[in-house]
Amino acid sequence: GAVVSQHPSWVICKSGTSVKIECRSLDFQATTMFWYRQFPKQSLMLMATSNEGSKATYEQGVEKDKFLINHASLTLSTLTVTSAHPEDSSFYICSASRQIQETQYFGPGTRLLVL
Amino acid sequence: AQTVTQSQPEMSVQEAETVTLSCTYDTSESDYYLFWYKQPPSRQMILVIRQEAYKQQNATENRFSVNFQKAAKSFSLKISDSQLGDAAMYFCAYRSALAMNNNAGNMLTFGGGTRLMVKP
């Protein structure tokens, strides 16, 4: 159990467009979901944490109007990159946990390339 | 704020040999969790092993074991009988044991990673 999926696995878009990435917990209900960003050959950087039904908590330096997070249900969280620019190109990874303080299970990631 | 440091950007091991990856961390908390995650070329993060700070016994998972030195704030990962499939990035991570309403207690703090290469 504890499988997390992400869709799409990769996306290419033009500068100025918006891109939505979905994160789903397939076999469990996720109270909390996390969104990370990873640049090539670097570690994961937490962008935001979201609880089902409430507003996301963004890390310092992450623009909440740029990276919209919606955790509408216990199995789905979405990250929308609005008005994407080439510097937003990165690998985005989500994770989910059943309850506070439980293990985070990671999705396979989404590679975003903005032209 | 907690920090996690992996001082070895790259490590190499011969197949079937043993390798140890280093991790140190800084925290003022007494209760916390430590993790080792593996990220293979597919980039899927896989939990390798987990250690609770209140447990003195080192965690083991088959060929993977840790050397947890709480006083020294050190948490190394030993991989025995290395296999080609062990080649990956390995990340050490810290999480507080405090449950906080603002989710700060849930967040993982990652080290910079160590790239492990396994030679056939």
Side-chain angles (χ1 to χ4, degrees):
Chain A
V3 178
V4 178
S5 70
Q6 277 184 246
H7 178 79
S9 56
W10 61 272
V11 57
I12 302 174
C13 68
K14 293 182 179 180
S15 185
T17 61
S18 294
V19 175
K20 180 183 285 188
I21 302 170
E22 292 185 350
C23 176
R24 294 182 184 273
S25 56
L26 298 184
D27 53 1
F28 68 100
Q29 292 187 325
T31 303
T32 309
M33 287 185 168
F34 304 82
W35 287 95
Y36 296 86
R37 186 172 181 177
Q38 186 180 30
F39 289 107
K41 298 185 178 182
Q42 293 189 24
S43 188
L44 282 72
M45 297 300 296
L46 180 66
M47 298 175 66
T49 305
S50 71
N51 288 322
E52 184 264 340
S54 61
K55 290 184 178 180
T57 302
Y58 290 82
E59 294 302 299
Q60 192 172 7
V62 178
E63 300 175 57
K64 61 181 181 180
D65 294 331
K66 173 101 179 138
F67 299 99
L68 301 179
I69 292 172
N70 186 304
H71 192 160
S73 76
L74 286 171
T75 59
L76 173 64
S77 176
T78 59
L79 167 67
T80 301
V81 183
T82 61
S83 186
H85 289 98
E87 57 266 30
D88 298 324
S89 298
S90 189
F91 192 66
Y92 293 87
I93 306 175
C94 75
S95 70
S97 62
R98 290 183 180 89
Q99 298 288 342
I100 289 176
Q101 289 299 307
E102 289 214 3
T103 297
Q104 290 185 30
Y105 300 97
F106 285 82
T110 297
R111 185 180 303 277
L112 170 65
L113 177 61
V114 184
L115 302 176
Chain B
Q2 294 80 22
T3 58
V4 178
T5 303
Q6 293 177 249
S7 60
Q8 306 152 318
E10 284 190 359
M11 290 285 284
S12 180
V13 64
Q14 202 72 34
E15 193 176 6
E17 301 275 303
T18 295
V19 65
T20 299
L21 307 184
S22 301
C23 172
T24 58
Y25 57 94
D26 188 26
T27 184
S28 59
E29 298 175 341
S30 59
D31 200 12
Y32 47 86
Y33 301 91
L34 295 165
F35 305 84
W36 277 98
Y37 280 91
K38 170 185 177 181
Q39 188 179 42
S42 68
R43 304 192 76 172
Q44 170 75 59
M45 294 287 284
I46 301 166
L47 177 63
V48 174
I49 202 164
R50 159 187 165 137
Q51 173 82 42
E52 290 87 349
Y54 65 85
K55 290 186 178 179
Q56 291 188 334
Q57 187 173 7
N58 289 323
T60 62
E61 284 290 339
N62 301 312
R63 297 183 295 108
F64 298 88
S65 62
V66 298
N67 184 3
F68 174 48
Q69 300 290 328
K70 191 172 184 179
K73 296 180 182 175
S74 170
F75 183 61
S76 61
L77 174 70
K78 185 172 81 171
I79 305 174
S80 304
D81 185 24
S82 297
Q83 300 175 0
L84 295 178
D86 295 333
M89 282 291 291
Y90 286 82
F91 292 99
C92 178
Y94 171 103
R95 194 187 78 201
S96 170
L98 297 175
M100 301 180 187
N101 291 332
N102 62 359
N103 287 314
N106 297 320
M107 50 178 289
L108 287 170
T109 300
F110 286 93
T114 297
R115 180 173 300 281
L116 177 66
M117 294 173 285
V118 181
K119 298 178 182 177

